[in-house]
Amino acid sequence: AGNPPHGGVLKDLLARDDAISDTLREEAETLPDIVLTERQLCDLELLTNGGFSPLEGFMNEADYTSVVDTLHLANGVLFPMPITLDVSQKSIDTLAIKPGARIALRDPRDDEPLAILTVEDVYKPDQVKEAVQVFGADDPAHPAVAYLRKSIHEFYVGGTLQAIQAPTHFDYVALRYTPAELRSHFKKLAWRKVVAFQTRNPMHRAHRELTVRAARQRHANVLIHPVVGLTKPGDVDAFTRVRVYQSIMEKYPNGMGHLALLPLAMRMAGPREAVWHAIIRKNFGATHFIVGRDHAGPGKNSQGKDFYGPYDAQELVTKYHDELQIEMVPFQQMSYIPATDEYQPADEIPQGVQTLDISGTELRRRLKTGAPIPDWFSYDAVVKTLRESYPPRNKQGFVLFLTGLYNSGKDTIAKALQVTLNEQGGRSVTLLLGETVRQELSAELGFSREDRHTNTQRIAFVAAELTRAGAGVIAAPIAPHEESREAARETVLASGGAGGNFFLIHVATPLEHCERRDRKGIYAKARRGEIKGFTGVDDPYEVPKKADLTVDTTTQSIPQIVHSIVLLLETNGLL
Ligand code: PPS
C-alpha cells in the first residue's frame, strides 16, 4: 500500500533480519562496539526501518562523494544527504576498524546492540567541501556546519547493516510508526492519496488551514509527520510539541488526518533537506509532500543574510520531480484575513486586502509576557500547552545569589527576603544559607579554594533544579571567588527553564564593620590564628565585577535593602 518506496524496495532491515536477530545479538556480544551519538542513533533508526531506502547502511566513499557532488548515489539514484558514520583515528586503531570487520552499534541510552555493521571502507572526507556543497557555505552560523566542525570525527566508515532491534523509546510510543507500520495503517483506512506535512515547530491555525487546503485540493488525506529526533538548537522541545500536535489533530475533520512521529535528525539544509524529506515521506507511503516557505531553513548566516532563498527548496524539489515520484504541494506563507475570518496563501490574497500575522518572535514575546494570543492565530488547547512549558516571567523561577563576607548581614537579608516573598505568594521559596548548605550538602568540605568552589557548585546545582521547577531560590554563601560565582551563574542559565533569572547581589558591608559587629567572636578567633584561611582575614574575598546589585548594611537598613531586591525582581518582570 502507498507510494512505492524510493528505489523501488522498502529496505526494512528489521523485518529482513528478524529471523536471525538472536544470532546477531549473540555475535554482537563478541564484537568491538561503537556507542552511537544521538544523531547517529537517529540515522540508524531510519536506516534500519527503511525510512532512508534505498540505503542499507552508512555511505561508503563512492556514494558519499557522489552524493556531495551530484545529489545522487554512485548507482545514479537520487539521494541528496550524506548519511555517514564518523569515527576517530583512536577508535579505528582500538576497534581495528577495517574492510571486512564487523562492529556492533549500540544505543547510547541503554547500551543495547541495535545493529551490526560490516565495514566496507574507512575514508577521510573533505569536510570543508561537504559544508560548502551540502549546506551552502563553510559558515559555523549554520548549525550543521557547526556540528560538522565541533562534533564530527575526521574519518567516515562505510558499510552495510544487519538489524538486531529498533531503539527502545519510552515517550509517545503509540505515535511512532515505521514505514511498514504507516503503510499498513494507510491500507487499513483505505487511504489512496496522502499529503505529508513536515514540521519541527508547534502548529497553529495557519498550519491546520494549510494542510486541510492541501488535502482538499488533491482529494487526499493528511499525514502530520513532525520531527522528534533532532531539530534546530533552541526549538520548542519535542514533548511540548507532541502535546500541541495531539490537540491540533482534534481540529481536523473527522478521519481526515493522522499523526505519526519521525525520529529524524534534521540538518537544516534547506533545498537539499527538502528533497531528502520528500524521499523519506515517500518511503513512509505518502503520495504528496508539502513544501512551504523557507523549508528546513537554518536562519541567518554570519553576514546576517539567509542561507537560502525562501523558495529555493520548492525549486530543487521541482527540479527532481521525475526522479522523486512524490508530488510536491508548494505553499506560500498563509496569512489571516479578518474580514472573512479565513486563511489564504500570500499569492492568492488580492492587493489591498487587510491581513494579520504573528511572527515567531512576536509569539515568543507574548508567551514571555503572558500577553494574549488571539483565537484567529491559535487554539486554546495549543496556547495552554505552550504556556505550561513557557510560563510568563511572573511564573518563572529565579536565583538571588547573595555573596559577601562572614557577618556582612547577608543571612539577615536572605531571611527577610524569604519572608517578603512568602508574603507575596505564588512561588515556593528556598533559602540556602551558607550554614545550612555546609551542614546538609557539604559536611565533608573544608575551606580551600577547591572546596569552596565545590560548595558553590553544589549550591548552583540545587538552585538550578529548583529554579527550573519554578521556585525562587535565595542562596547566601560567602562565595569569595569570582570564577566560582560566574560558574554558578552559568549552571543556572544552562539549566533552561529560568530564562536568565540569576541575580548576583554583593553584600558589600566593609570588613571592619563585619568584624566589629561579630558577636560570636569568629573574626577574633581567626585573628588569633585559631581558624586558618578565614575569608577577609588571611584568605581573599574577590569583589564581584558583575554584580546585578550592590548593597551595604552600614549605609542602608535591612528593609531598604530588601525593597531594592524586590524592585530588581519587579523590574525584571518576575513579580
Ligand atoms: S564559602 O567560602 O562560600 O565556601 O563559605 P560558606 O560555605 O558560606 O561558609 C561560611 C561559614 O563557614 C565558617 N568558616 C569559614 N568561613 C570562611 N573561611 C574559613 N576559613 C572558614 N572556616 C569556617 C564561617 O564562619 C561561616 O559560618 P556560618 O556561621 O555557618 O555562616
Side-chain angles (χ1 to χ4, degrees):
N3 203 0
H6 195 55
V9 182
L10 188 69
K11 296 296 171 71
D12 187 337
L13 311 187
L14 287 159
R16 184 197 66 189
D17 301 335
D18 187 47
I20 56 163
S21 66
D22 286 342
T23 319
L24 292 171
R25 188 190 301 270
E26 273 171 39
E27 186 192 348
E29 296 312 317
T30 70
L31 296 176
D33 45 30
I34 293 178
V35 178
L36 299 170
T37 63
E38 236 185 312
R39 181 162 119 177
Q40 291 166 348
L41 177 69
C42 289
D43 288 352
L44 186 89
E45 184 163 3
L46 289 165
L47 281 170
T48 53
N49 73 15
F52 287 167
S53 299
L55 304 189
E56 288 182 61
F58 290 99
M59 289 179 183
N60 60 26
E61 186 166 19
D63 281 331
Y64 167 77
T65 311
S66 176
V67 164
V68 169
D69 289 339
T70 71
L71 292 82
H72 291 77
L73 298 167
N75 66 5
V77 174
L78 179 69
F79 206 98
M81 195 59 66
I83 305 298
T84 52
L85 181 66
D86 60 296
V87 292
S88 62
Q89 180 71 62
K90 192 168 154 242
S91 303
I92 295 174
D93 296 341
T94 56
L95 306 176
I97 301 177
K98 54 174 186 283
R102 284 169 71 76
I103 314 277
L105 303 182
R106 289 183 182 269
D107 189 323
R109 302 163 306 168
D110 57 11
D111 242 24
E112 284 287 308
L114 302 177
I116 295 177
L117 174 81
T118 304
V119 177
E120 235 177 288
D121 59 358
V122 181
Y123 55 101
K124 194 171 167 155
D126 180 343
Q127 290 174 332
V128 171
K129 180 175 150 194
E130 180 179 330
V132 174
Q133 305 265 91
V134 179
F135 305 114
D138 186 27
D139 180 345
H142 193 298
V145 175
Y147 189 85
L148 196 55
R149 288 193 188 182
K150 262 207 317 250
S151 310
I152 295 269
H153 295 294
E154 57 179 329
F155 294 94
Y156 292 169
V157 186
T160 52
L161 292 166
Q162 287 173 299
I164 300 174
Q165 60 180 328
T168 307
H169 294 287
F170 294 96
D171 54 333
Y172 305 116
V173 180
L175 296 176
R176 295 172 182 271
Y177 289 78
T178 66
E181 286 168 347
L182 208 47
R183 284 167 177 276
S184 61
H185 185 79
F186 296 155
K187 186 172 177 191
K188 184 173 183 177
L189 299 182
W191 285 13
R192 292 195 46 252
K193 291 186 190 173
V194 180
V195 184
F197 180 64
Q198 139 80 30
T199 181
R200 46 168 261 267
N201 284 312
M203 287 173 69
H204 302 288
R205 207 177 134 189
H207 306 101
R208 187 263 180 207
E209 300 303 324
L210 181 155
T211 48
V212 167
R213 185 179 271 261
R216 219 188 284 138
Q217 287 171 357
R218 304 297 197 278
H219 299 282
N221 288 91
V222 181
L223 171 67
I224 303 300
H225 208 197
V227 172
V228 295
L230 296 175
T231 63
K232 199 175 142 187
D235 280 349
V236 172
D237 70 276
F239 294 105
T240 304
R241 288 191 288 112
V242 176
R243 291 196 293 272
V244 164
Y245 304 139
Q246 284 175 309
S247 50
I248 212 147
M249 290 318 292
E250 288 165 21
K251 306 294 178 188
Y252 282 84
N254 193 26
M256 179 186 269
H258 188 68
L259 172 64
L261 308 181
L262 181 68
L264 175 71
M266 289 182 69
R267 314 295 209 251
M268 309 311 299
R272 276 205 193 221
E273 181 123 356
V275 174
W276 185 39
H277 286 176
I279 290 173
I280 295 166
R281 272 42 183 239
K282 179 181 164 192
N283 287 331
F284 278 84
T287 53
H288 294 73
F289 181 59
I290 294 172
V291 182
R293 192 182 176 282
D294 194 27
H295 189 99
K300 307 266 182 229
N301 66 19
S302 48
Q303 269 81 55
K305 297 215 174 72
D306 285 332
F307 275 90
Y308 319 113
Y311 298 104
D312 287 4
Q314 291 182 358
E315 274 172 35
L316 199 69
V317 174
T318 306
K319 175 175 171 191
Y320 291 116
H321 171 265
D322 292 350
E323 291 168 73
L324 273 171
Q325 292 300 317
I326 179 169
E327 205 66 43
M328 174 173 70
V329 184
F331 264 100
Q332 293 214 348
Q333 182 147 333
M334 299 282 281
S335 286
Y336 179 68
I337 303 173
T340 50
D341 184 30
E342 62 179 357
Y343 275 83
Q344 294 267 355
D347 53 344
E348 292 177 28
I349 301 173
Q351 279 246 307
V353 170
Q354 193 214 344
T355 62
L356 291 175
D357 282 300
I358 290 182
S359 67
T361 315
E362 172 62 12
L363 177 64
R364 279 189 290 276
R365 191 193 68 80
R366 290 188 189 205
L367 286 171
K368 206 186 248 175
T369 58
I373 295 165
D375 286 351
W376 63 259
F377 179 76
S378 198
Y379 300 98
D380 286 348
V382 169
V383 173
K384 185 167 169 280
T385 299
L386 290 176
R387 286 206 197 279
E388 275 164 15
S389 297
Y390 298 88
R393 293 185 66 78
N394 67 7
K395 297 247 163 26
Q396 291 174 10
F398 58 79
V399 178
L400 295 167
F401 192 102
L402 276 57
T403 169
L405 293 169
Y406 174 70
N407 207 34
S408 58
K410 61 185 165 55
D411 289 19
T412 312
I413 298 166
K415 288 180 206 162
L417 253 177
Q418 185 189 31
V419 170
T420 307
L421 292 173
N422 278 341
E423 187 185 65
Q424 274 247 332
R427 275 190 196 89
S428 121
V429 181
T430 295
L431 190 58
L432 298 173
L433 295 178
E435 192 182 2
T436 321
V437 174
R438 286 273 169 188
Q439 264 172 31
E440 303 296 334
L441 297 175
S442 295
E444 88 290 12
L445 295 182
F447 290 87
S448 65
R449 192 179 177 102
E450 256 179 12
D451 279 6
R452 289 184 201 254
H453 182 76
T454 305
N455 186 48
T456 306
Q457 286 321 110
R458 287 180 187 173
I459 294 171
F461 171 76
V462 172
E465 288 299 309
L466 288 166
T467 314
R468 212 153 55 86
V473 179
I474 307 163
I478 298 176
H481 301 125
E482 181 82 350
E483 200 186 313
S484 299
R485 293 185 300 248
E486 286 311 308
R489 185 196 297 269
E490 284 310 310
T491 301
V492 172
L493 299 193
S495 77
N501 307 325
F502 178 97
F503 303 97
L504 186 69
I505 298 165
H506 179 202
V507 182
T509 309
L511 173 65
E512 181 219 20
H513 188 87
C514 301
E515 207 165 344
R516 188 148 24 90
R517 292 287 177 83
D518 177 16
R519 291 201 308 112
K520 290 189 192 153
I522 306 284
Y523 279 105
K525 272 193 189 166
R527 293 282 177 207
R528 290 196 299 269
E530 290 165 28
I531 306 173
K532 296 261 186 301
F534 198 83
T535 308
V537 177
D538 54 350
D539 209 54
Y541 179 83
E542 301 167 10
V543 172
K545 292 197 188 81
K546 294 186 205 152
D548 297 286
L549 187 68
T550 302
V551 299
D552 181 342
T553 58
T554 57
T555 55
Q556 297 164 287
S557 69
I558 300 291
Q560 267 180 327
I561 292 173
V562 169
H563 187 60
S564 65
I565 297 171
V566 167
L567 284 179
L568 176 70
L569 293 173
E570 203 281 327
T571 309
N572 282 278
L574 290 158
L575 293 181

